[in-house]
């Protein structure tokens, strides 16, 4: 029997990081279960929806906001971040400069987004393209997370579907706790 009284929650997550790190691929993998190696540039900000039948009484709609186009610092307006309750920072393990950029993305995020009580929104760090052999995990990643209120980091692969569900689950659990 369908539960007609199911509570419906909507959470907005933002997925940020440099151009080409795999943000759109991660979102597509998570919402459609698909990966495409062809390069598509989306124009403007965009979001995809993932619906989770969380439990008997609760359905969760995740709105995953994607930056589209040529990501540059400071170009994201407050509208992109408005009402977001969690964030995934993404860098590309094969391009160390994209990890350095994470610091700037985080400054932008902390400046423009916070929980209604003023606390920083739950944030995770994704080291993407973990399927590619030539890669080095930045030595300072643990320290960086500790210092910047980043609650966890994962090596992910949008290509091979590694750790993407786990990462999103961490964010969803935090969003539920804060809700
Ligand atoms: P975005 O600019 O951050 O949205 O990056 P895209 O999702 O468009 O990905 C950029 C390129 O990297 C595309 O060619 C993707 O196919 C590729 N890519 C994304 N994620 C992965 C991954 O986990 N592994 C590999 N090998 N390639 C990936
Ligand atoms: Mg993209």
């Amino acid at each position: 029997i369908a539960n007609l009284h199911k509570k419906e929650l909507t959470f907005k997550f933002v997925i940020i990081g440099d151009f080409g790190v795999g943000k759109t691929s991660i979102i597509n993998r998570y919402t459609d279960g698909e990966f495409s190696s062809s390069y598509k540039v989306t124009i403007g900000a965009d979001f995809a929806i993932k619906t989770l039948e969380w439990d008997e009484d609760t359905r969760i709609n995740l709105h995953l906001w994607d930056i589209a186009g040529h990501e540059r610092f400071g170009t994201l307006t407050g509208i992109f971040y408005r009402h977001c309750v969690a964030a995934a920072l993404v860098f590309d393990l094969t391009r160390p400069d994209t990890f350095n950029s994470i610091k700037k993305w985080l400054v932008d995020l902390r400046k423009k987004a916070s929980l209604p009580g003023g606390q920083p929104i739950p944030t995770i760090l994704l080291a993407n393209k973990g399927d590619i052999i030539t890669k080095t995990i930045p030595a300072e990643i643990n320290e960086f997370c500790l210092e910047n209120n980043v609650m966890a980091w994962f090596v992910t692969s949008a290509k091979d579907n590694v750790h993407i569900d786990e990462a999103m689950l961490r964010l969803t659990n935090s969003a539920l706790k804060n809700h």
Side-chain angles (χ1 to χ4, degrees):
I1 302 166
N3 180 353
L4 300 176
H5 303 285
K6 218 165 184 178
K7 184 169 56 171
E8 195 136 345
L9 300 174
T10 299
F11 294 138
K12 174 178 172 180
F13 293 177
V14 294
I15 317 299
I16 55 181
D18 279 1
F19 185 67
V21 296
K23 301 179 296 297
T24 304
S25 300
I26 287 169
I27 292 171
N28 289 346
R29 167 59 81 190
Y30 186 56
T31 58
D32 298 340
E34 278 176 17
F35 176 78
S36 156
S37 59
S38 72
Y39 216 95
K40 265 181 284 178
V41 179
T42 16
I43 306 295
D46 215 349
F47 71 90
I49 299 174
K50 171 84 171 181
T51 300
L52 303 170
E53 302 299 336
W54 190 254
D55 61 27
E56 255 175 69
D57 305 314
T58 320
R59 173 178 299 138
I60 299 177
N61 299 307
L62 299 180
H63 288 194
L64 305 169
W65 282 60
D66 191 6
I67 315 164
H70 292 268
E71 294 84 345
R72 270 186 291 128
F73 305 114
T75 57
L76 287 183
T77 64
I79 293 165
F80 181 82
Y81 290 113
R82 191 168 300 157
H83 304 309
C84 76
V85 297
L89 301 165
V90 187
F91 72 99
D92 179 341
L93 274 171
T94 68
R95 286 190 293 143
D97 57 303
T98 63
F99 177 72
N100 292 329
S101 294
I102 286 297
K103 295 157 195 170
K104 300 177 204 163
W105 285 108
L106 194 59
V107 169
D108 198 48
L109 173 74
R110 295 288 185 240
K111 201 164 59 186
K112 294 175 181 165
S114 56
L115 295 176
Q119 313 95 303
I121 63 166
T123 304
I124 52 167
L125 179 59
L126 307 183
N128 193 41
K129 309 196 188 180
D131 56 283
I132 298 176
I133 304 300
T134 50
K135 57 170 193 260
T136 327
I137 293 167
E140 67 271 41
I141 196 163
N142 281 317
E143 199 189 341
F144 174 80
C145 289
L146 274 171
E147 282 174 359
N148 291 285
N149 242 309
V150 173
M151 63 186 195
W153 65 272
F154 297 85
V155 172
T156 56
S157 167
K159 183 165 180 268
D160 293 349
N161 195 16
V162 176
H163 288 154
I164 292 173
D165 289 357
E166 288 83 348
M168 294 303 173
L169 184 62
R170 283 293 285 272
L171 287 184
T172 307
N173 275 318
S174 298
L176 266 173
K177 242 180 268 161
N178 293 330
H179 148 79

